[in-house]
Amino acid sequence: MRQFDEFHAPGAGAVATQSPLSAGRKGFAGVIVAVRAEAQASGGLAASEIERRLLEMGFVEGAPVEILHEGFLGRDPIAVKLADRTVALRRREARAVIVDPA
């Protein structure tokens, strides 16, 4: 059971295969293809700091991920199975994790 909020590339009309982990719903599974935060990172942290923290937690290229749980208010935070551990993550940080659906 894989659920995913599909989005379209601007002007292309085709569904993108890679997208941010934050767009996924409970049950989504995929593989990390990149970790890249936006220049204007939210929460007062620099984009490089968010990337560093995610990499230290194990969000590395090629790692399998699965969204196990979503919070009640605004579906935030999310519980993510990352390889052999479970990690809680805010959706604004999950935007920096680019995944390819499994």
Side-chain angles (χ1 to χ4, degrees):
M1 172 178 159
R2 181 180 73 200
Q3 297 176 350
F4 197 73
D5 292 341
E6 296 177 324
F7 68 96
H8 298 274
V15 175
T17 57
Q18 297 178 355
S19 59
L21 181 60
S22 63
R25 299 295 305 251
K26 182 178 177 181
F28 169 77
V31 176
I32 298 173
V33 294
V35 175
R36 58 178 177 255
E38 299 172 3
Q40 285 276 357
S42 60
L45 293 176
S48 61
E49 179 67 12
I50 290 175
E51 288 176 7
R52 183 186 65 78
R53 289 180 181 196
L54 289 169
L55 291 170
E56 286 177 353
M57 283 191 280
F59 287 89
V60 295
E61 204 172 306
V65 294
E66 179 183 356
I67 299 178
L68 300 175
H69 183 74
E70 299 175 320
F72 294 111
L73 300 174
R75 301 183 303 128
D76 203 23
I78 57 175
V80 178
K81 182 177 180 187
L82 176 64
D84 61 346
R85 74 195 99 190
T86 302
V87 178
L89 195 62
R90 293 182 189 108
R91 286 199 183 264
R92 68 179 182 223
E93 285 128 8
R95 275 190 296 241
V97 180
I98 309 303
V99 294
D100 198 7

